[in-house]
Amino acid sequence: MSPHTPPEQHTTVAIVGAGMAGLIAGRNLRRQGIDVLILESANRVGGRVLSETSVLGSRLDLGGQWIGYGHNRFENLAEDLGVNQFPMHTPTRPVIVRNGRAVSPYQLGSLVALIALGGFEMRSKLKPPKSWSTTTIDGWIRQLPSSTARRLLQVSIEVATTADLDQFVMSAFAAMVRDQGGLSAMTKTRGGAQETLIVEGVGTLTDQIAAELGKYVLLNTTVQSIHRTDVGISLKSSTGTVHADRIIVCVPPPRLKGISFDPPLPRDLIQLSNDSYMGSVYKAIAVYNEPFWRESLDAEFMLLDRPAGAVFDTSPPDGPGHLCMLIGGKEARTLDAMNPSARRDAVLNSLATAAKLPGLRRPAGWHEKAWHLDEYVGGGYSALPRKDVTHSIYPAPSEPIAGTMFWAGTETATEHAGYIEGAIQSGERAARQVLDSLR
């Protein structure tokens, strides 16, 4: 072989993507004695999961982090891998801040927003009005009489979905809310999707699974084309060619356009890829020697002043102090042109003013991630429907193709799609399907 000829490898199952879904599928197949190769474009595993170590030695999550209520697979995986879980430190309701001051939950704007959300959820469970198929969330919000209510709903929904609200129609939003168990389940901490955290960080789980798989995970390997024949699958990548009997594709629907498929994908998958995009979200964690704010307040905020977003106290039980900031949708992209110190100052100055705690401006460590700028993931938390889509895109199609091509990824989950729990479920399902086909 010429030294310039790309190497060829052979395996039973090729898996595209080393996020949680791909790693779970690979681990389950390897434990059944099946040869696998996981091909990952990035220089790390985890996909939308990313953990880092702070200057104080604590672990923190810049990607998906919460074990929600009823996320049993995620909880069991954490127990199996020996990490420590702890409940969120959370008040009854977050403090709403506008113009640097706390807004009373009984103020007119707060009540209007609450009534609007209640009415939306009730109508979404029934037959949504026809007008919702052409009305965007942004258009719906603009109809409200209170500027505070409009701003509160805008920021809350951007953080919950990471969507551009002028590109998301109400009927599709209602379908998403139904799929994810209602607005309360999506936004609550205790009893909702933000219930429990992992001391060691969720990235510890993906790192442990990758360590178990060892040489069967190939990083810096971008899959460029997938050719399916009667005798197997050929994948051309940036590092060579892989021949396999089966393939599991764990790529978010919008990112499928980056791969050439021969023969072409079924029409419904092509349509979904064209009709969806990855949301915009900026996440930051400020690290302090201790959660000193607890002496005077519970640090859970909805900040309506720019940069607007949500703040959560994610400090581990034995310290140090962690404050998590989430900014979604168009609001997240307003930070892109700033340098890191300017972003830190913009976020923390707003928070310190609201909390009346100047010490919040001086963290020991600062960690940040703009997921919409990640060239491999493309955004978060999950795929979203474009403006002309009026229905739910969950679960994404996952029927095997010709008995050789299988699908995983949180968007394909039939339970908790869009969450880490959904990614785990999809990986387990795909592994079972592959095993059945091989038998």
Side-chain angles (χ1 to χ4, degrees):
M1 177 184 294
S2 163
H4 301 293
T5 302
E8 294 192 2
Q9 298 189 67
H10 296 261
T11 188
T12 304
V13 183
I15 300 174
V16 183
M20 181 66 84
L23 292 170
I24 288 291
R27 183 189 71 159
N28 288 9
L29 289 169
R30 280 296 305 156
R31 288 182 173 182
Q32 294 297 317
I34 307 298
D35 286 333
V36 303
L37 274 181
I38 303 179
L39 290 75
E40 169 58 50
S41 296
N43 61 359
R44 63 174 184 86
V45 300
R48 285 168 268 184
V49 167
L50 174 61
S51 297
E52 293 182 353
T53 301
S54 77
V55 294
L56 300 180
S58 58
R59 293 281 285 173
L60 50 87
D61 286 299
L62 286 175
Q65 66 178 0
W66 280 290
I67 302 176
Y69 179 79
H71 293 190
N72 300 320
R73 294 176 182 86
F74 192 2
E75 187 175 334
N76 292 337
L77 179 65
E79 290 177 358
D80 290 345
L81 295 179
V83 297
N84 297 289
Q85 303 172 44
F86 67 98
M88 272 281 289
H89 183 91
T90 182
T92 304
R93 64 173 65 89
V95 176
I96 302 167
V97 176
R98 193 177 193 206
N99 298 324
R101 297 181 298 173
V103 175
S104 168
Y106 306 107
Q107 189 243 35
L108 178 62
S110 304
L111 293 175
V112 168
L114 187 63
I115 292 168
L117 282 177
F120 163 78
E121 183 145 29
M122 183 176 67
R123 297 184 77 179
S124 69
K125 292 177 181 177
L126 305 172
K127 186 177 180 180
K130 289 184 178 179
S131 62
W132 280 13
S133 63
T134 56
T135 303
T136 64
I137 300 174
D138 183 64
W140 171 66
I141 289 174
R142 289 179 184 275
Q143 299 172 15
L144 299 178
S146 163
S147 62
T148 297
R150 293 194 294 269
R151 184 63 172 155
L152 177 56
L153 287 182
Q154 177 191 8
V155 175
S156 299
I157 297 174
E158 282 179 338
V159 169
T161 66
T162 74
D164 284 12
L165 302 191
D166 59 354
Q167 298 297 313
F168 202 171
V169 296
M170 291 290 287
S171 57
F173 179 47
M176 169 187 275
V177 169
R178 289 195 302 272
D179 289 343
Q180 298 189 350
L183 281 172
S184 292
M186 290 172 64
T187 58
K188 280 174 59 178
T189 47
R190 188 177 297 114
Q194 287 78 231
E195 187 172 65
T196 306
L197 293 159
I198 294 174
V199 173
E200 297 84 355
V202 181
T204 299
L205 306 184
T206 52
D207 288 346
Q208 284 192 40
I209 298 171
E212 178 181 335
L213 289 165
K215 65 182 182 180
Y216 301 105
V217 178
L218 306 179
L219 301 179
N220 300 304
T221 302
T222 300
V223 174
Q224 299 160 338
S225 66
I226 298 173
H227 179 55
R228 178 168 46 86
T229 69
D230 293 336
V231 295
I233 310 281
S234 290
L235 294 85
K236 289 188 177 179
S237 78
S238 56
T239 59
T241 301
V242 173
H243 301 285
D245 299 323
R246 304 287 188 273
I247 184 171
I248 303 175
V249 181
C250 310
V251 177
R255 309 293 284 180
L256 290 174
K257 293 190 286 287
I259 302 173
S260 172
F261 290 88
D262 179 26
L265 292 175
R267 183 175 300 175
D268 59 346
L269 277 170
I270 295 174
Q271 189 71 43
L272 176 61
S273 180
N274 292 331
D275 286 349
S276 59
Y277 69 100
M278 300 302 291
S280 298
V281 59
Y282 169 83
K283 183 175 183 180
I285 309 286
V287 182
Y288 303 86
N289 290 323
E290 58 183 356
F292 64 89
W293 51 86
R294 292 183 183 175
E295 296 175 3
S296 57
L297 54 79
D298 289 313
E300 189 165 316
F301 295 92
M302 287 299 302
L303 303 177
L304 307 189
D305 302 326
R306 299 187 187 279
V311 179
F312 301 93
D313 181 348
T314 56
S315 308
D318 298 322
H322 289 180
L323 286 181
C324 168
M325 294 87 174
L326 286 171
I327 300 174
K330 289 183 177 179
E331 194 85 25
R333 299 197 296 273
T334 64
L335 300 171
D336 293 347
M338 299 182 185
N339 61 45
S341 61
R343 282 192 295 268
R344 180 195 62 209
D345 292 345
V347 173
L348 292 183
N349 286 343
S350 175
L351 179 59
T353 300
K356 296 182 174 61
L357 291 172
L360 293 177
R361 293 186 173 91
R362 300 183 295 276
W366 177 257
H367 301 255
E368 62 175 3
K369 175 74 173 177
W371 284 94
H372 49 283
L373 300 180
D374 187 299
E375 64 177 306
Y376 304 110
V377 174
Y381 315 120
S382 60
L384 295 164
R386 293 193 182 277
K387 188 175 181 178
D388 54 350
V389 178
T390 60
H391 56 274
S392 173
I393 62 172
Y394 300 144
S398 61
E399 284 298 309
I401 298 175
T404 58
M405 182 176 286
F406 301 83
W407 304 91
T410 187
E411 287 85 3
T412 70
T414 55
E415 297 175 21
H416 303 290
Y419 295 98
I420 295 173
E421 173 76 6
I424 296 170
Q425 188 225 24
S426 72
E428 292 175 345
R429 181 207 67 236
R432 287 194 304 270
Q433 290 174 325
V434 168
L435 283 170
D436 289 343
S437 76
L438 291 172
R439 287 168 181 157

